[in-house]
Amino acid sequence: MKSNLLMISMVLANFSVNSIFAEETLQMNLQSQVQAKLNDDEFIKLTRNEEWNPAETAIIVCDVWDYHHCLNAVKRLDEFAPRLNQVLAAAREQGVTIIHSPSDCMPAYQKHPARLRAIKAPQADYQPSEIKAWCSVIPSEERAVYPIDQSDGGEDDDPKEHARWAEHLKRLGRNPGMPWQRQSDHIEIDDAKDFLSDRGDEVWNILEERGIKNVILTGVHVNMCVIGRPFGLRQMARNGKNVVLMRDMTDAMYNPKRWPYVSHHEGTQRIISHIEKYVCPTVTSDQILGGEAFQFADLNTNNTPATENKNDYWKLIQIPNQQDYGAQDNEDVWLRCVVRIPLKLEYHTLELDVNSANDTVRAWMNGQEMPLASRSKDGHTIRFRLPAAALNDGEENLIVINQRVKQADRQGFRTAPVLLSNSRNLNLAGRWQMQISDDQSLANMPLPAKFGTSTDIVYAPPEELWTPRALTRINEFTPGIEGPACDGDGNIYAVNYQEQGTIGRIRPDGAGEVFVKLPEGSIGNGIRFGSQHQFFVADYTGHNILSVDLKSKKTTVFAHEAKMNQPNDLAIAPDGTLYASDPNWSEGTGQLWKITPSGKVTLLAKEMGTTNGIEVSPNGKILYVNESKQLNVWAFDIAADGSISNKRLLRKFEDHGFDGMRCDVDGNLYVTRYGKGTVVKLSPQGEVLREIPVLGAKPSNICFGGPDGCTAYVTEVEFQRLVEFRVDLPGRSWQRK
């Protein structure tokens, strides 16, 4: 936590820099959608104006190929690509980095200067986990219902026209299914400045080498490649870039003959709306070029086809369930989901357990039928073995289960299928898609699952340990973001959400709301839960420790001490005693205070350095305190009456500041390194065990939560957001609940 004076100085400094470069900055108007209330389905549109430094900005041109298997897709690309080229030329002139990413086309550019430039970019110090992989879903999307069915590939050609187009591609010597070989001639590549790469790790290296913070995605197709590629929207968002979609320089692969039976352009708009709600904001090309945003000539044309049976589509269901499928006896019920299997996992043996007494059950992976491996003695558990050739390592895999309904099993699976391997099992409980049909082609999709799937049926093993991911969007908090603390339901509470003087409540999927506004003049910093019904807040402007009732949201003054400089971070002992750090930033000094469960305040230590992060050991016998300016971490013994003694140096660092810290159940101490952009894990003896990057230079505090207490949440000031990563042991305060 920095003092008010320092924060004002930082704001003025930023204002001065922005004023100097005002004529050179990009004026961006970001459009997003947020829930009106945390648990409501209603969303409202928000716009936010930002000034971007062109030198810290890149535009990625995704899959603007020379040919495509869908003729209508080619026609739509030909319509907007000249405008996109104008955008790139104008942005390049202003100093924006242009990265051309026509996937599968790198052989055509082996000696191109832009390709060689991309290859030569040095490997970044930090390489995100799975940055080379397709990404089909991020946590914020898990609460969404995907708005279209793209599992047929999205091709919307007239069948006769499509056949003629396929023949034309053959005559050109192209594969009608994958005819692209180069980027479209509509898009110019600057030999001296641009980059060419379709690899996620190479693109990441380029961004890091050039200090790119802001990324604009353009190109096709927004519901497949633009959002899912290793360099796409999801990967950029979860790995911390300030990413946006240029919504008028894109198109979707959507067939109006599929659910929800709307026009092609309406289908595209529904995907863009999904992105604004759950992935990232959007912008338009006129923000680079001026004038008006681009519109397709037939934008308002209603090309919605008549359909005789609008029940012939995949419906979302929950498994396990007690819901009647709605099928009659001897009708076929098809169920499907998609499983992502990371490259690093060892799946030498892969089997699927399905709990059903129905002897007609069959299963497929990626269109290949799984042979029956065994059946339990009671006949209720059927085990299928995966054909080795069917598995797509490191990618999405389609699992389809079919059974012919009998009177006794109309209500589906009462336990969820389980994917078994030699290294770990994956329970497939949650949302699946279901369809009643005698169409045997439903055992597969016309294209790989990563292209055809929707976000609501994707399963994956837990995230790797120590892998940082952005949980909330950039600038959802103010620069005063601090706290944080978790309740028993996994919600994260952090101060200064949307505006100063608030406390935000953030769900584990990243959705947030203002939970409470503090009394006039109060601004919070550290937060600690005293019970499942109450948490405490250090109010540094009011010299208070506030108490907030979780149910009523009533805020009261639990303790007040006018002699405090500014109560900063809080720690809580097993007996309910609170400890508060109390820095004086201007003088580089600090104090420590004890607050009893009755609210009595006692000064424990004075004439220390700038006391900041504070924590109690799991056994309640040691108090840890760090000094931000002096770079020390101290330990004290805690007596039975809460007093402290035996001050000793646990660890001294040579550079960068400190802020908040927390213990895990083994007493290891996690300390945020403000200015370095990491969290350091120290043993109880002060040994550095690990250092974890947090996608921003200024982590201010940390807490533990999640279903098992093994998710660390970090408040990060540079981008004013929450960042999360998984750890190996639960946090101490999580266990205490």
Side-chain angles (χ1 to χ4, degrees):
M1 171 65 204
K2 302 294 177 280
S3 69
N4 282 337
L5 182 60
L6 182 58
M7 289 182 66
I8 291 170
S9 300
M10 292 168 62
V11 170
L12 290 175
N14 288 336
F15 176 79
S16 300
V17 171
N18 288 339
S19 299
I20 294 170
F21 294 103
E23 293 183 359
E24 300 178 10
T25 57
L26 299 172
Q27 307 298 314
M28 307 302 294
N29 186 279
L30 280 61
Q31 178 174 292
S32 59
Q33 299 182 48
V34 299
Q35 287 171 285
K37 294 183 180 179
L38 194 57
N39 296 313
D40 285 356
D41 293 330
E42 179 186 354
F43 283 77
I44 55 176
K45 283 190 177 182
L46 295 179
T47 58
R48 183 176 73 247
N49 295 318
E50 293 186 357
E51 290 187 355
W52 289 3
N53 182 348
E56 297 178 345
T57 303
I59 298 179
I60 298 177
V61 185
C62 175
D63 293 356
V64 179
W65 290 312
D66 53 352
Y67 285 95
H68 197 274
H69 56 75
C70 176
L71 178 59
N72 280 341
V74 173
K75 292 177 180 178
R76 289 187 290 266
L77 177 62
D78 286 344
E79 190 175 347
F80 80 80
R83 166 84 171 196
L84 174 55
N85 191 56
Q86 294 173 6
V87 171
L88 301 179
R92 187 185 294 115
E93 184 67 23
Q94 295 179 71
V96 173
T97 298
I98 309 299
I99 304 174
H100 304 269
S101 298
S103 300
D104 310 318
C105 298
M106 292 305 103
Y109 297 102
Q110 288 183 21
K111 298 182 179 180
H112 195 287
R115 178 72 189 121
L116 297 176
R117 191 174 296 115
I119 294 172
K120 290 178 181 178
Q123 181 169 319
D125 292 337
Y126 169 66
Q127 283 273 342
S129 174
E130 298 285 305
I131 192 61
K132 298 179 182 180
W134 186 280
C135 184
S136 288
V137 64
I138 56 178
S140 55
E141 292 179 277
E142 292 174 1
R143 65 184 187 269
V145 174
Y146 197 69
I148 63 172
D149 180 358
Q150 61 197 45
S151 60
D152 69 334
E155 201 162 275
D156 62 333
D157 290 347
D158 173 82
K160 291 182 180 179
E161 261 196 333
H162 182 75
R164 290 193 294 269
W165 176 244
E167 288 301 317
H168 175 68
L169 293 172
K170 288 179 183 178
R171 289 194 296 272
L172 293 175
R174 304 288 182 113
N175 174 357
M178 294 180 61
W180 44 86
Q181 294 179 359
R182 303 179 62 87
Q183 187 165 264
S184 167
D185 289 339
H186 289 301
I187 307 299
E188 298 172 8
I189 303 174
D190 189 310
D191 291 0
K193 295 181 179 179
D194 294 357
F195 294 83
L196 257 166
S197 177
D198 65 349
R199 290 180 45 165
D201 57 337
E202 287 183 353
V203 170
W204 185 263
N205 291 338
I206 295 164
L207 300 178
E208 292 297 279
E209 178 194 23
R210 299 176 73 84
I212 302 297
K213 297 179 180 179
N214 313 304
V215 179
I216 302 172
L217 259 292
T218 66
V220 293
H221 287 100
V222 68
N223 56 321
M224 295 182 182
C225 300
V226 172
I227 195 171
R229 290 281 185 193
F231 49 80
L233 294 172
R234 291 190 182 109
Q235 285 283 30
M236 292 295 111
R238 72 175 183 159
N239 289 307
K241 295 301 181 184
N242 188 21
V243 64
V244 299
L245 167 70
M246 189 168 280
R247 63 181 182 270
D248 64 334
M249 292 288 99
T250 192
D251 183 35
M253 283 298 291
Y254 167 66
N255 180 5
K257 294 180 181 178
R258 306 290 285 204
W259 181 86
Y261 310 105
V262 297
S263 71
H264 172 86
H265 291 304
E266 172 60 23
T268 300
Q269 291 307 308
R270 293 193 182 197
I271 289 293
I272 291 172
S273 179
H274 172 90
I275 289 169
E276 290 181 346
K277 292 174 181 176
Y278 304 109
V279 182
C280 69
T282 68
V283 297
T284 48
S285 60
D286 55 297
Q287 295 172 43
I288 301 290
L289 291 177
E292 301 293 329
F294 171 83
Q295 286 192 354
F296 287 102
D298 64 342
L299 183 64
N300 298 315
T301 301
N302 184 359
N303 63 339
T304 306
T307 178
E308 293 181 0
N309 183 10
K310 286 194 175 182
N311 291 318
D312 186 20
Y313 67 94
W314 292 94
K315 304 173 182 65
L316 274 182
I317 65 165
Q318 198 77 17
I319 293 180
N321 67 9
Q322 300 293 324
Q323 176 185 357
D324 193 318
Y325 288 138
Q328 303 300 313
D329 284 353
N330 295 317
E331 284 190 312
D332 279 332
V333 172
W334 299 85
L335 302 164
R336 71 181 183 186
C337 73
V338 169
V339 178
R340 172 162 182 75
I341 299 178
L343 281 169
K344 292 183 181 179
L345 290 185
E346 303 237 343
Y347 280 89
H348 301 308
T349 303
L350 198 61
E351 297 174 318
L352 180 71
D353 271 4
V354 178
N355 191 280
S356 175
N358 190 321
D359 58 9
T360 68
V361 174
R362 301 166 67 190
W364 293 260
M365 178 172 274
N366 298 323
Q368 293 193 38
E369 186 162 6
M370 296 185 187
L372 180 67
S374 63
R375 186 184 294 270
S376 62
K377 291 183 179 180
D378 62 6
H380 288 179
T381 301
I382 307 167
R383 178 164 294 179
F384 296 96
R385 179 167 290 118
L386 168 73
L391 177 65
N392 293 324
D393 279 334
E395 290 198 356
E396 284 66 18
N397 294 268
L398 175 69
I399 292 179
V400 177
I401 299 173
N402 167 263
Q403 64 180 353
R404 184 153 292 173
V405 170
K406 298 179 180 180
Q407 182 66 35
D409 57 14
R410 264 189 195 162
Q411 293 185 331
F413 295 112
R414 289 175 172 80
T415 60
V418 178
L419 198 63
L420 309 168
S421 80
N422 58 300
S423 60
R424 67 177 71 179
N425 298 337
L426 182 60
N427 189 295
L428 303 179
R431 292 186 293 186
W432 287 57
Q433 290 176 340
M434 182 271 293
Q435 189 170 158
I436 301 168
S437 175
D438 59 2
D439 182 359
Q440 295 298 301
S441 71
L442 297 183
N444 200 6
M445 288 181 182
L447 72 172
K450 66 182 182 182
F451 296 105
T453 191
S454 57
T455 59
D456 36 30
I457 59 168
V458 178
Y459 294 84
E463 188 74 78
E464 288 186 42
L465 298 183
W466 325 114
T467 301
R469 300 296 189 199
L471 178 63
T472 60
R473 295 186 185 183
I474 289 173
N475 297 328
E476 283 197 353
F477 288 82
T478 75
I481 180 173
E482 257 273 14
C486 287
D487 66 17
D489 294 328
N491 299 303
I492 308 103
Y493 297 78
V495 302
N496 302 319
Y497 180 72
Q498 297 182 359
E499 60 179 303
Q500 292 286 94
T502 64
I503 295 177
R505 177 169 62 182
I506 312 299
R507 286 197 316 226
D509 61 13
E513 66 177 352
V514 173
F515 178 71
V516 68
K517 289 190 176 184
L518 298 180
E520 185 71 27
S522 292
I523 300 178
N525 195 64
I527 299 176
R528 285 288 183 144
F529 271 84
S531 69
Q532 284 301 297
H533 309 290
Q534 172 202 39
F535 61 84
F536 299 101
V537 184
D539 168 18
Y540 69 89
T541 54
H543 308 282
N544 298 318
I545 306 300
L546 303 176
S547 173
V548 180
D549 185 272
L550 205 59
K551 186 174 182 180
S552 69
K553 301 185 181 181
K554 183 179 179 181
T555 302
T556 57
V557 175
F558 176 70
H560 173 79
E561 176 51 70
K563 294 180 182 178
M564 289 181 174
N565 300 310
Q566 50 174 70
N568 190 59
D569 279 350
L570 299 175
I572 189 165
D575 64 359
T577 299
L578 284 168
Y579 296 90
S581 62
D582 184 25
N584 183 325
W585 290 97
S586 61
E587 296 184 9
T589 62
Q591 305 177 122
L592 296 177
W593 298 87
K594 179 185 76 172
I595 303 98
T596 67
S598 64
K600 180 182 178 182
V601 182
T602 303
L603 180 64
L604 292 180
K606 58 182 179 179
E607 298 179 357
M608 291 189 67
T610 48
T611 50
N612 199 339
I614 189 166
E615 175 62 308
V616 174
S617 64
N619 62 8
K621 295 182 178 181
I622 302 174
L623 180 69
Y624 299 105
V625 182
N626 69 47
E627 297 171 331
S628 290
K629 289 188 175 181
Q630 293 76 18
L631 308 183
N632 298 318
V633 182
W634 298 99
F636 297 83
D637 291 336
I638 300 176
D641 63 357
S643 60
I644 59 174
S645 62
N646 189 25
K647 178 183 178 183
R648 56 200 180 274
L649 186 65
L650 184 72
R651 181 85 188 193
K652 183 174 182 63
F653 287 80
E654 298 302 321
D655 57 8
H656 302 290
F658 295 145
D659 212 315
M661 57 189 187
R662 292 288 191 277
C663 276
D664 67 19
V665 293
D666 277 5
N668 300 303
L669 198 61
Y670 288 75
V671 187
T672 57
R673 301 297 314 281
Y674 192 93
K676 189 176 184 182
T678 65
V679 170
V680 64
K681 179 182 179 181
L682 301 176
S683 73
Q685 294 74 40
E687 177 189 1
V688 174
L689 302 177
R690 181 178 294 273
E691 199 151 8
I692 307 105
V694 292
L695 309 180
K698 300 175 181 178
S700 59
N701 216 326
I702 184 171
C703 74
F704 294 94
D708 53 4
C710 290
T711 301
Y713 297 101
V714 177
T715 50
E716 200 284 310
V717 175
E718 182 182 10
F719 295 104
Q720 297 164 214
R721 66 183 171 202
L722 279 168
V723 174
E724 64 180 349
F725 57 87
R726 297 283 293 166
V727 299
D728 55 350
L729 294 168
R732 188 271 298 182
S733 57
W734 178 86
Q735 184 192 49
R736 184 179 56 79
K737 296 174 185 176

